[in-house]
Amino acid sequence: MNSDLHARLAGAALLLAVALPAQDYDPRPAPQLAKLQGLVGDWQGAGKMNEPTGQETPWTAKISYRWTLGGHFLQEDFAVRYQGLDLPYVMRNYYGWDRERSRYVAAMINSNGRARVNEVSILPDGTMTTLQRHHEHGIVFQERSRVRVAGDRCALRVDMLMPEGDSVQVIEGELERGGEGFAGDWGVAAWMGAQPNEAMQKLAKLAGSYETKGEMTMAPGMPMTAITGTDEWEMVFGGVAMHGRTDGKAAGSPDAYESHALWGWDPHDQCMNTVFVDSMGQVGQMQ
């Protein structure tokens, strides 16, 4: 991707920042997000991973939840350390409400370079449940993660459903509110020694700071509006993923625009995945 193409992409993001408020757009965070308020804060705890061999591996975890992007998303920074491994597994999630499809979603990136948008369900008892389909080593399986908050305690459970047999609980643990939490660490090495492939190495050439200046029109026949912005792109997790941030302004508008994009390689689809969230509550995914 050359810098000219990047500038045009950034300009498109800034255009959205102005054009959408002019339409039927409600700038307030969706009221459905109130169901996530109980997660806000710092958490720490421990549990065990049940190996297919029957062996149990202890783990410890730290998590922080913070409202971000004008309150449109709940940012989760998560780090878990398994006994016997030097490096933690790290994950970033942006939980939000998809107005277009009336559903909870989580835009995520993890330290093995997977970027995707997952659908999230809030059960009647408040349990937050996420289902993910995985392809690993030629095997397709489903992962169900459940997080339930009760006051200052949080229960974490992860089940796996393989092509044959009953589902198996592979992760169980308990967390308590408090402690230092985990504020995120883009500098941690990739999980299990993963290395950036050729596509990610090419993407790394985009890393850096950019300034965008341009103009746009909100509708045919209307005068042009000046737009300005900055972009910061950095390779993270040892180069297996990229994080980008866009900040923009449009002349005559008091509102500032902010978006985050997460890039990773999808080995099953053999393409780059990027997911994005912004301060207007938008969430999306592209290949």
Side-chain angles (χ1 to χ4, degrees):
M1 181 182 294
N2 59 38
S3 59
D4 178 64
L5 175 58
H6 175 265
R8 283 186 274 127
L9 289 174
L14 292 174
L15 185 150
L16 285 173
V18 183
L20 287 183
Q23 302 170 14
D24 185 17
Y25 168 69
D26 186 347
R28 297 170 298 180
Q32 290 86 351
L33 296 174
K35 291 186 177 182
L36 304 178
Q37 181 61 35
L39 288 165
V40 174
D42 299 318
W43 301 81
Q44 60 183 8
K48 63 180 181 178
M49 177 176 66
N50 303 308
E51 304 276 5
T53 60
Q55 177 182 348
E56 295 182 355
T57 300
W59 54 262
T60 58
K62 295 180 179 181
I63 312 176
S64 289
Y65 293 93
R66 300 283 186 272
W67 290 111
T68 189
L69 294 167
H72 289 285
F73 291 92
L74 182 65
Q75 177 180 310
E76 174 195 61
D77 284 301
F78 175 91
V80 57
R81 286 184 177 272
Y82 295 96
Q83 188 178 81
L85 296 179
D86 295 332
L87 291 172
Y89 169 79
V90 176
M91 181 170 58
R92 161 75 63 87
N93 268 299
Y94 294 92
Y95 293 97
W97 178 254
D98 180 356
R99 284 187 170 99
E100 184 176 356
R101 300 180 65 182
S102 298
R103 60 175 186 164
Y104 293 96
V105 292
M108 62 84 68
I109 188 79
N110 58 27
S111 56
N112 65 359
R114 303 293 191 270
R116 62 192 300 177
V117 174
N118 295 307
E119 186 166 351
V120 178
S121 298
I122 308 295
L123 304 184
D125 66 356
T127 299
M128 183 170 67
T129 301
T130 306
L131 297 175
Q132 298 185 55
R133 189 179 188 184
H134 294 273
H135 300 84
E136 299 288 347
H137 308 295
I139 300 175
V140 181
F141 61 94
Q142 291 280 356
E143 171 190 325
R144 179 182 66 178
S145 64
R146 292 172 289 162
V147 176
R148 183 181 181 186
V149 173
D152 291 332
R153 298 188 65 84
C154 177
L156 175 63
R157 304 287 186 269
V158 178
D159 306 309
M160 295 294 186
L161 179 63
M162 307 303 289
E164 291 185 295
D166 298 329
S167 63
V168 178
Q169 187 173 95
V170 294
I171 297 290
E172 56 182 303
E174 305 292 331
L175 302 129
E176 292 186 354
R177 195 186 303 273
E180 60 185 5
F182 178 67
D185 183 5
W186 294 126
V188 71
W191 176 243
M192 300 297 286
Q195 296 295 318
N197 67 358
E198 182 180 1
M200 293 305 300
Q201 293 173 24
K202 291 180 178 179
L203 188 67
K205 297 177 181 179
L206 178 62
S209 301
Y210 298 83
E211 182 179 359
T212 299
K213 293 182 180 179
E215 55 185 9
M216 51 77 67
T217 180
M218 291 172 57
M222 295 188 66
M224 300 298 288
T225 299
I227 56 174
T228 57
T230 58
D231 289 272
E232 297 285 342
W233 297 89
E234 59 177 332
M235 301 306 295
V236 299
F237 302 145
V240 299
M242 174 179 270
H243 171 256
R245 171 172 172 163
T246 295
D247 291 276
K249 292 280 292 183
S253 173
D255 300 318
Y257 175 79
E258 179 184 345
S259 72
H260 291 248
L262 308 166
W263 297 69
W265 177 256
D266 187 320
H268 178 261
D269 289 343
Q270 289 292 294
C271 68
M272 198 77 67
N273 262 355
T274 175
V275 300
F276 61 88
V277 291
D278 70 12
S279 56
M280 297 166 62
Q282 297 181 111
V283 57
Q285 176 172 302
M286 297 183 291
Q287 289 189 326

